[in-house]
Amino acid sequence: MPHDQPASAPGPAPADASDLDPAEAPFLGLLATGAAAEEYERPVLRARAGGAAAARLAALERAKLLALRVRTELEDRRRREAELSALYATAHDLAGLRDLDAVLRAIVRRARSLLGTEVAYLTLNDPAAGDTYMRVTDGSVSARFQQLRLAMGEGLGGLVAQTARPYVTDSYFHDERFRHTRTIDSGVRDEGLVAILGVPLLLGSGVIGVLFAADRRERVFEPGQVALLAAHAAHAAVAIDTANLLAETRKTLTELEAANEIIRDRSSVIERASDVHDRLTELVLRGGGVQDVADAVAEVLDGDVEFTEPGRAPAAALDRSRADGHAVRDGADWVAAVRAGGEVLGALVLRGHPALDPVDQRTLERAAMVTSLLLLARRTAGEAEQRVRGELLDDLLDAAARDPRLLRERAARVGADLDAPHVVLAARMSGAPISDGDGPPRPDGTDRRRLWSAASHLAATRHGLAAVRDGGAVLLLPLDPDGDPAHTAREIAARLGTALHVPVTVGASAPVPAPAARPAAVADAYAEARRCREALCALGRAGQGAAAADFGFLGLLLADTRDVDGFVHRTLGAVADYDARRGTELLRTLGAYFACGMSPARTKDELHVHVNTVAQRLERVGRLLGPDWQTPARALEIQLALRLHQLSAAVTRETEE
């Protein structure tokens, strides 16, 4: 670097060697060899020892001073050249780094190396918190110091960050130019720092942080060292900005790649959705069925799709889907309610797809909507058939004199066989008002319309008949030879309740062997079914299904058939069979026990047996009839059955005599 000649230096150097002052000659050799400063005293000492004149000694002294000044200038130039070389090398190194953490570590290490300090560190500004915090240290040994945060204007570093100007202190704790705080001073004291130089990291007109060099002893930082660290900080700020930009670029590229991947996925999903939309439209136009819709969706979604009736679909998931209007997850499956208004017609169940894309989820929901339209269309087409079924059942209930042949022909048209055993069921929604009118539901009877629709659907699927009557619905359903009317009533109550989402009470009649042959038996059976239904409501069992046999001895009053033998057998059959097989007298003992006020002591006198015998017989009765046989309700049924059994036996004896 070029330097101006000092003001106290002599004039221009001689033009050639002949003009050289003899006093300067020894010092030129010392300058040429780079001798130490103390060597420059020797020419003067030798001349003084040799008795040189005062003029000679004065000339030598001037030449020595001039040579020392030249030597200092040369050393300064060499030092500056070394600093610049190191600064350029630092800039080159920083330019090659791409990772922000690596850049920051390199900046701090090189700052410590350039100034030869014991510690170097770097803080970065936090715009959100409004302060600056310790980011990287080199040579630090204090954990508290490495975690410092400095508010703007606090401590030397906070002052640099606030003013964007370099600050230097020879002795930190004795310097009052900046605001000391207990936290900052404690951290500096832990680290043992005394002399500190801080320069701002400037990016444009803003400060992004502060770079420090510090020693654990008092030290004077020369202006050249301040300038050197400031120049290093300028390169460092650019390197930090570059690393940040590269990091943001990499992040942006990663986000773009992810976005492109999402776009590709969405394009594929949208294509699948478009495909299924076209296929569903084609299905509707060519009159496809529910299974066709399920098959098309299964192929597009690459899974197993099934349409299920309301009673067979997962109840909780079906309720959530109905309430939300969307397909919902049920374990590893997805359930989409197929509904029309407030009525649930069934569900589309996609199996084995725990993670479903939102567009695919919408595809399943659209398929459920198409399925509901198909079902409604099929229902509309079948309403005429349902009315035919209702009119036929009305005739069976109201016109007992109908020609059986005509009844069979009409039943055959709707797929019913009135020569097979049937059961009559009376159903009513819980809380629904009772109407005296017959026939199809009135336009304003929304609940009755829903009940009639659901009952008609059940009747059609089971090859039976259904009609609206007395504010509820009546069904005539085929019954297997070994079928149980009570079980059928409970099943129909559950199915209707699930379909309508309200409790439905169902009473069942005894089996009707052949409705076409005896139409009058259908009306009697309906009356019995209604009595059972009203008995359920009176007993607080609304929303359930039952037949006369479920009510014990009360069933004798409800049933038209008055099946006394059946009641006695259901109540005492196990005991009577045991007596017949073993020749015991359990029934006689049971009768005596109740006749004696359920007293074993009086019973043994009545039977003329030991009390232990009575206890053993009653224990056997308990095993045959169940542990609750002595409760008031069971005891009443058992006593009634005993009386009926005794009457029946007496009648039989009289007949035989």
Short mmCIF file of all heavy atoms in Angstrom, two decimals, residues 621-631 634:
data_model
loop_
_atom_site.label_atom_id
_atom_site.label_comp_id
_atom_site.label_asym_id
_atom_site.label_seq_id
_atom_site.Cartn_x
_atom_site.Cartn_y
_atom_site.Cartn_z
N VAL A 621 -86.36 -78.15 42.22
CA VAL A 621 -87.26 -77.26 41.48
C VAL A 621 -86.52 -75.98 41.08
O VAL A 621 -86.65 -75.47 39.96
CB VAL A 621 -88.50 -76.94 42.33
CG1 VAL A 621 -89.29 -75.78 41.70
CG2 VAL A 621 -89.38 -78.17 42.47
N GLY A 622 -85.72 -75.43 42.02
CA GLY A 622 -84.98 -74.21 41.72
C GLY A 622 -84.00 -74.40 40.58
O GLY A 622 -83.82 -73.50 39.75
N ARG A 623 -83.35 -75.56 40.52
CA ARG A 623 -82.42 -75.82 39.41
C ARG A 623 -83.15 -75.94 38.09
O ARG A 623 -82.62 -75.60 37.03
CB ARG A 623 -81.60 -77.07 39.70
CG ARG A 623 -80.54 -76.88 40.76
CD ARG A 623 -79.47 -77.96 40.69
NE ARG A 623 -79.99 -79.26 41.04
CZ ARG A 623 -79.97 -79.78 42.28
NH1 ARG A 623 -79.47 -79.05 43.27
NH2 ARG A 623 -80.46 -80.98 42.51
N LEU A 624 -84.40 -76.47 38.13
CA LEU A 624 -85.16 -76.65 36.88
C LEU A 624 -85.82 -75.35 36.41
O LEU A 624 -85.88 -75.09 35.20
CB LEU A 624 -86.24 -77.73 37.09
CG LEU A 624 -85.72 -79.16 37.31
CD1 LEU A 624 -86.87 -80.08 37.72
CD2 LEU A 624 -85.04 -79.69 36.05
N LEU A 625 -86.29 -74.54 37.34
CA LEU A 625 -87.02 -73.33 36.96
C LEU A 625 -86.17 -72.07 36.96
O LEU A 625 -86.58 -71.05 36.42
CB LEU A 625 -88.21 -73.12 37.92
CG LEU A 625 -89.28 -74.21 37.90
CD1 LEU A 625 -90.42 -73.83 38.84
CD2 LEU A 625 -89.83 -74.42 36.49
N GLY A 626 -85.01 -72.11 37.58
CA GLY A 626 -84.15 -70.93 37.62
C GLY A 626 -84.14 -70.32 39.00
O GLY A 626 -85.09 -70.50 39.80
N PRO A 627 -83.12 -69.55 39.32
CA PRO A 627 -82.96 -69.02 40.69
C PRO A 627 -84.02 -68.00 41.09
O PRO A 627 -84.19 -67.73 42.27
CB PRO A 627 -81.56 -68.38 40.64
CG PRO A 627 -81.32 -68.09 39.20
CD PRO A 627 -82.01 -69.17 38.44
N ASP A 628 -84.75 -67.41 40.12
CA ASP A 628 -85.73 -66.39 40.47
C ASP A 628 -87.15 -66.93 40.58
O ASP A 628 -88.11 -66.18 40.57
CB ASP A 628 -85.70 -65.27 39.42
CG ASP A 628 -86.10 -65.77 38.04
OD1 ASP A 628 -86.01 -67.01 37.80
OD2 ASP A 628 -86.51 -64.94 37.21
N TRP A 629 -87.30 -68.25 40.72
CA TRP A 629 -88.65 -68.84 40.69
C TRP A 629 -89.52 -68.43 41.86
O TRP A 629 -90.75 -68.50 41.79
CB TRP A 629 -88.55 -70.37 40.60
CG TRP A 629 -88.09 -71.07 41.86
CD1 TRP A 629 -86.83 -71.24 42.27
CD2 TRP A 629 -88.92 -71.68 42.85
NE1 TRP A 629 -86.77 -71.92 43.46
CE2 TRP A 629 -88.06 -72.22 43.84
CE3 TRP A 629 -90.29 -71.85 43.02
CZ2 TRP A 629 -88.52 -72.89 44.97
CZ3 TRP A 629 -90.76 -72.52 44.13
CH2 TRP A 629 -89.88 -73.03 45.11
N GLN A 630 -88.92 -67.94 42.95
CA GLN A 630 -89.71 -67.56 44.12
C GLN A 630 -89.97 -66.05 44.18
O GLN A 630 -90.56 -65.58 45.15
CB GLN A 630 -89.02 -68.02 45.40
CG GLN A 630 -88.91 -69.53 45.53
CD GLN A 630 -88.44 -69.95 46.91
OE1 GLN A 630 -89.18 -69.86 47.89
NE2 GLN A 630 -87.20 -70.41 46.99
N THR A 631 -89.49 -65.28 43.18
CA THR A 631 -89.81 -63.85 43.16
C THR A 631 -91.31 -63.69 42.95
O THR A 631 -91.97 -64.57 42.38
CB THR A 631 -89.05 -63.13 42.05
OG1 THR A 631 -89.40 -63.71 40.78
CG2 THR A 631 -87.53 -63.27 42.25
N ARG A 634 -92.63 -64.34 39.25
CA ARG A 634 -92.51 -65.73 38.82
C ARG A 634 -93.41 -66.64 39.66
O ARG A 634 -94.02 -67.58 39.15
CB ARG A 634 -91.06 -66.19 38.94
CG ARG A 634 -90.11 -65.65 37.87
CD ARG A 634 -90.41 -66.20 36.48
NE ARG A 634 -90.47 -67.65 36.43
CZ ARG A 634 -89.41 -68.46 36.35
NH1 ARG A 634 -88.19 -67.93 36.34
NH2 ARG A 634 -89.56 -69.76 36.27
#
